[in-house]
Amino acid sequence: LGMRRPATSLSELHRLDSTTHSDRSASSQTQKMKIHGPTPPLIVSAATAVLLLLASTQPQVVNAKLSELTATPIEGAATDCSEPMFSVQLADDVLMSYVIKTPDDAVAPATISVDMEFDVETWVSFGYSPDDKGKMIGSEAIIGLPLDGTVQKYHMNSEKVEGVFPRAESEQTLQDSEVWQSAGKTYLRFTKELVEPGEIPINSQGINYFMWAYGYENELGLHDKKTGAGAFSLDVTSCVPPVVQPTLPPTDPPVEDVMVQDPTASPTRAPKEAVVADKEAAPVAEEEDEEKQEDEDDFERDAYDGPAVSSEEQEQLDCSDYQHHVQVDPKLSVYYVVNADEAGEHDGTISVKLEYQGNAWLALGVAENPAGKMIGSESVVALPDEPVSKTNPGEYHMISEQNEGVFLMEDSKQTLMDASIVQEDGMTIVTFTKLLSEEGKLGLTANGEVSTLLWAYGYSNDLNLHKATGAFRLTLEYCGGDSSGMSEVAFQALSKYTADQRRTMWFAHAILGLLAWAVLAPSAVAASWLRKLFQKWGAFWFKAHMYMNILVFILSIAAFAISVTMYCDESKAHFVGTHEAMGLALMLLVTFQAANGMFRPPAAPKTESTAQSSALVKARSPDGSDDEMGTEVSFVPPPPPPETSLSLKNEPGSTAPTPMGSAHGSLVESNVSPSKSTTKTKKIRAAWESIHKLLGVFLIFIGLWQVQSGIALYSLRFGTTNYSYVFWWCIGAFAAVVLGLTVYIRVKDV
């Protein structure tokens, strides 16, 4: 049930995806590996390939390219500067309208009023830059967040999330600011003073440098580097509002113009009509007041969602509405109330409302066991793109963690009541009522026992991998008529990590695996393969080979530990997928290979009789060290003695030693036993070398496949771009370098 990173307290800027979806920027710098002597070309090639891969897989921020735009006057716009007078098409899906108002008097400040229309439902922003570079750092922005309904001014001090934060409250001086969404579009409106203390000034006449951006969702995050951001220059002109002449109040008419009625005269019609009008106006005003009061009463009843009742009726009313709230995720809220069945036909019902800050499918399930594992559980799943029906929201079986293992129950088990699915203003709201216990289905209890529930939401409205998931334990109680209102419920989350922390840990797992099997392991093998290239550095190739393999082992252990920790935290079955099973096999084999390397058998011993071959040994192994890859020179017997030394014969009665008893004969005789020992040692060493080489090559292929598989899984889990092709390009380039150096060595030897 994957994870998405939740919003931070500062409403994180620039997404994903990475992550996934990301605002991309980064500059990489190759650092030299400091070793004695010249740096081998293999290391430079490997480092270059690694940096290319890392630069491709990391979220980067790319400064928008500055473009020169021209404003178009808006036909029919008011000439009093009260509404936008010019429009600019910033992109196919972004339209900006504005007016710069410079009052003729020196009291009122000059302002710019902006209306922006984005053909997406996401967070939006408008910024202003101090120069024509179009860079994010050093600029200032006005960002609208539809979920919060806030429009504020932001600092942009770096390309990281921590560097984008709202200005001080005293500097939030925007006027008439609002952000809203309608018909798949997002609108941003504000009025800002052109010149404010401590802020980048905006010119009322001439060239200004502006920028804009929008993200992937309503929560502040990353924007697309190509289509989701832009920077432009604009030559503006100001509007001077006409001076409005003050209207003088009417003066009292002269006394002589006031008609004084003769008390003896008969009353005229005018005063009579005025009296009648006054009498008629009184009931009209009373009727308007009554209508106004009725409207207010209607508003209060709508807000309360029920008629006004007495305190005696309050108990029954409370149990018809949600009484408890559980914040299971920063984006997902669960409201519920548990009611007993008055007729006693069943154990009761639980009415649930799910509120998710985004547009996606939602799920709430009942776990089969207290561990909160997905397999074996049952869940209510809501698909917003499909019409509400008996099966949507529907009840699902979950027999595996793959899509094929999540399927609808039969129609006879689709017993949800009062179900609804609504998406509006960037929110997904799902409601339903479910029986606590049913035959043939997992149930809940409301007698004080603990129930284990699951939740999840996806990347989109289509049922697929989830973006975030979790499990929690909750004690349900029947509604007792407590009229104290909504209450926060204490619950036990079965996951120790937040969505953001999970994504960080999986990213660390990916980087460790990448360094181990896409960088260090191939470089260690190449160091041994190209050993002749490093002869002038003595034992460098052997030390590089050994230490890089040690690092591979250490990084593999760390990556393996992270994955096991995360699967335990997510209550998932271990090593059931191909990537997971191969990871376990890789860990076991690399452990064996490391032990195999540490306990390698010794090479054939050297004796005094091999003195004549020592020069050859040193010629082939300049450092005189044991060559683990088989360049060790074997035992060479001495040349036969001169013929004369073998023609001596014993005279009868002579005590002279025979040739076999002579000193030379002893030397020849002593060579028999060392030769057998040497042969046995060589066979053991040869067998070890064969296993070591074959297993090393096998591990390289498994490791490379595992890296590309991990890149694809990370992309699928977090909705980021799959950079597997970049990985294989880098591996191909590395292999080409090794092949070229191999040909060079062969040609040089010839």
Side-chain angles (χ1 to χ4, degrees):
L1 280 167
M3 302 301 308
R4 179 192 294 180
R5 178 176 56 186
T8 62
S9 58
L10 295 178
S11 297
E12 57 184 353
L13 181 67
H14 309 315
R15 177 175 189 286
L16 176 3
D17 200 68
S18 260
T19 295
T20 302
H21 306 12
S22 62
D23 185 16
R24 320 217 191 281
S25 130
S27 57
S28 301
Q29 183 176 358
T30 305
Q31 298 182 349
K32 287 187 176 181
M33 181 184 295
K34 296 184 179 179
I35 57 175
H36 297 292
T39 303
L42 171 65
I43 304 303
V44 177
S45 302
T48 303
V50 173
L51 290 175
L52 284 174
L53 179 58
L54 292 178
S56 301
T57 56
Q58 294 301 315
Q60 301 176 2
V61 178
V62 177
N63 293 314
K65 183 179 180 181
L66 200 67
S67 56
E68 297 181 3
L69 300 180
T70 303
T72 303
I74 299 176
E75 295 184 4
T79 59
D80 60 353
C81 310
S82 61
E83 61 183 29
M85 301 178 63
F86 301 93
S87 67
V88 186
Q89 193 71 45
L90 305 182
D92 293 339
D93 53 357
V94 183
L95 176 66
M96 169 185 170
S97 303
Y98 73 94
V99 61
I100 294 181
K101 184 177 179 180
T102 55
D104 194 25
D105 57 65
V107 178
T111 60
I112 178 173
S113 298
V114 177
D115 282 5
M116 300 194 71
E117 178 183 316
F118 300 81
D119 291 346
V120 291
E121 288 190 345
T122 65
W123 64 265
V124 295
S125 70
F126 174 83
Y128 29 99
S129 178
D131 51 41
D132 60 354
K133 304 298 183 182
K135 292 185 176 181
M136 172 183 167
I137 298 178
S139 300
E140 297 170 357
I142 296 171
I143 301 177
L145 302 178
L147 289 182
D148 303 333
T150 59
V151 180
Q152 291 183 305
K153 294 190 285 187
Y154 280 71
H155 290 286
M156 294 195 292
N157 292 346
S158 78
E159 295 168 349
K160 296 182 179 180
V161 175
E162 297 78 9
V164 180
F165 52 92
R167 301 184 71 94
E169 187 66 28
S170 60
E171 298 175 325
Q172 301 294 343
T173 57
L174 298 178
Q175 307 166 28
D176 304 325
S177 61
E178 56 181 330
V179 58
W180 74 97
Q181 293 177 332
S182 177
K185 296 185 178 183
T186 303
Y187 299 87
L188 176 66
R189 174 179 295 165
F190 63 86
T191 296
K192 180 191 181 306
E193 296 182 12
L194 298 183
V195 180
E196 297 185 75
E199 299 184 21
I200 298 173
I202 299 176
N203 300 322
S204 60
Q205 299 281 350
I207 300 295
N208 283 292
Y209 305 105
F210 299 123
M211 56 183 59
W212 58 270
Y214 63 78
Y216 294 93
E217 54 189 5
N218 287 327
E219 181 183 86
L220 193 59
L222 297 177
H223 58 69
D224 189 279
K225 67 177 182 179
K226 294 182 179 179
T227 61
F232 62 98
S233 63
L234 187 64
D235 191 351
V236 302
T237 57
S238 61
C239 171
V240 179
V243 178
V244 179
Q245 298 295 335
T247 303
L248 297 176
T251 57
D252 295 335
V255 176
E256 58 271 21
D257 292 340
V258 177
M259 183 179 65
V260 180
Q261 178 140 3
D262 187 354
T264 61
S266 62
T268 61
R269 292 184 57 86
K272 182 179 179 181
E273 293 174 353
V275 171
V276 173
D278 290 340
K279 290 182 178 180
E280 293 177 350
V284 170
E286 293 176 358
E287 291 177 0
E288 292 178 351
D289 291 339
E290 291 176 358
E291 292 177 356
K292 182 177 180 182
Q293 183 63 37
E294 289 176 357
D295 291 341
E296 293 178 353
D297 294 341
D298 291 341
F299 174 79
E300 292 177 355
R301 285 195 294 269
D302 291 341
Y304 184 74
D305 196 21
V309 294
S310 63
S311 59
E312 291 78 12
E313 300 171 314
Q314 188 70 34
E315 180 176 348
Q316 181 179 359
L317 177 65
D318 285 343
C319 293
S320 67
D321 200 359
Y322 305 107
Q323 283 196 331
H324 307 292
H325 171 231
V326 181
Q327 192 71 40
V328 297
D329 181 78
K331 292 184 178 180
L332 182 62
S333 298
V334 179
Y335 301 87
Y336 72 92
V337 60
V338 181
N339 286 305
D341 180 35
E342 296 179 357
E345 298 177 356
H346 49 76
D347 292 340
T349 60
I350 179 171
S351 298
V352 178
K353 179 173 71 171
L354 306 176
E355 286 189 356
Y356 169 66
Q357 298 176 12
N359 295 331
W361 61 264
L362 303 181
L364 183 70
V366 181
E368 185 181 29
N369 54 67
K373 292 186 177 181
M374 173 182 172
I375 297 177
S377 300
E378 297 173 357
S379 181
V380 175
V381 179
L383 306 177
D385 283 348
E386 297 184 9
V388 176
S389 63
K390 183 179 180 180
T391 58
N392 188 40
E395 297 185 80
Y396 285 70
H397 289 292
M398 295 188 292
I399 61 174
S400 80
E401 296 177 351
Q402 308 301 321
N403 283 351
E404 297 77 12
V406 179
F407 55 92
L408 272 169
M409 297 181 183
E410 52 270 28
D411 287 344
S412 61
K413 293 185 177 181
Q414 300 294 338
T415 57
L416 297 181
M417 300 170 285
D418 303 325
S420 67
I421 306 174
V422 178
Q423 283 188 333
E424 60 182 5
D425 299 330
M427 296 283 292
T428 301
I429 302 174
V430 176
T431 62
F432 62 86
T433 297
K434 180 183 180 342
L435 296 173
L436 291 178
S437 61
E438 300 177 73
E439 184 177 357
K441 297 165 66 174
L442 298 177
L444 299 169
T445 57
N447 56 1
E449 295 184 9
V450 176
S451 299
T452 303
L453 303 176
L454 306 172
W455 61 268
Y457 54 81
Y459 287 97
S460 65
N461 289 339
D462 299 325
L463 184 60
N464 209 310
L465 290 181
H466 45 67
K467 180 181 292 185
T469 182
F472 62 100
R473 294 178 183 146
L474 192 65
T475 302
L476 300 177
E477 298 285 354
Y478 287 114
C479 175
D482 184 5
S483 60
S484 59
M486 186 71 65
S487 64
E488 296 288 335
V489 178
F491 68 99
Q492 178 187 2
L494 299 184
S495 173
K496 296 185 298 183
Y497 304 100
T498 64
D500 190 36
Q501 291 171 332
R502 291 185 189 180
R503 180 166 183 166
T504 300
M505 293 187 71
W506 280 121
F507 184 76
H509 169 83
I511 292 300
L512 292 173
L514 183 73
L515 290 175
W517 293 103
V519 181
L520 294 172
S523 299
V525 172
S528 176
W529 181 263
L530 302 173
R531 72 186 67 176
K532 289 187 178 181
L533 194 65
F534 309 106
Q535 286 182 353
K536 56 184 175 181
W537 289 297
F540 169 79
W541 78 267
F542 179 76
K543 293 180 180 179
H545 177 79
M546 179 179 65
Y547 290 132
M548 283 191 287
N549 277 328
I550 292 174
L551 286 176
V552 169
F553 181 62
I554 294 174
L555 295 182
S556 297
I557 292 177
F560 184 80
I562 290 176
S563 65
V564 171
T565 300
M566 296 312 299
Y567 268 76
C568 290
D569 182 70
E570 295 171 2
S571 299
K572 290 185 177 181
H574 293 276
F575 315 118
V576 292
T578 305
H579 181 80
E580 294 82 354
M582 290 293 286
L584 176 61
L586 185 65
M587 191 66 242
L588 295 176
L589 290 175
V590 75
T591 302
F592 174 82
Q593 182 76 334
N596 186 39
M598 294 180 63
F599 298 101
R600 57 180 181 158
K606 300 180 180 64
T607 65
E608 293 182 359
S609 62
T610 61
Q612 296 181 13
S613 63
S614 61
L616 180 59
V617 174
K618 293 184 179 180
R620 294 194 180 185
S621 183
D623 60 325
S625 63
D626 178 16
D627 187 339
E628 71 167 10
M629 290 303 179
T631 58
E632 181 73 16
V633 179
S634 61
F635 171 77
V636 180
E643 187 66 25
T644 55
S645 65
L646 297 176
S647 62
L648 296 175
K649 296 182 180 180
N650 290 332
E651 298 292 337
S654 173
T655 59
T658 63
M660 293 302 296
S662 64
H664 185 74
S666 299
L667 176 62
V668 175
E669 185 178 36
S670 66
N671 287 333
V672 177
S673 178
S675 177
K676 291 181 179 180
S677 176
T678 299
T679 302
K680 182 179 179 180
T681 302
K682 285 181 61 178
K683 289 181 179 180
I684 296 175
R685 180 58 176 252
W688 175 87
E689 289 177 0
S690 298
I691 295 174
H692 190 73
K693 292 177 183 178
L694 292 175
L695 184 55
V697 173
F698 182 67
L699 284 172
I700 285 294
F701 283 105
I702 293 181
L704 293 178
W705 183 91
Q706 191 75 345
V707 170
Q708 73 88 25
S709 173
I711 293 174
L713 282 177
Y714 187 91
S715 171
L716 193 61
R717 177 185 287 260
F718 298 110
T720 60
T721 303
N722 187 344
Y723 287 106
S724 296
Y725 65 97
V726 178
F727 165 74
W728 287 118
W729 284 351
C730 295
I731 294 300
F734 182 83
V737 171
V738 173
L739 180 61
L741 292 174
T742 302
V743 173
Y744 167 78
I745 292 173
R746 297 295 184 266
V747 173
K748 184 179 178 182
D749 284 349
V750 173

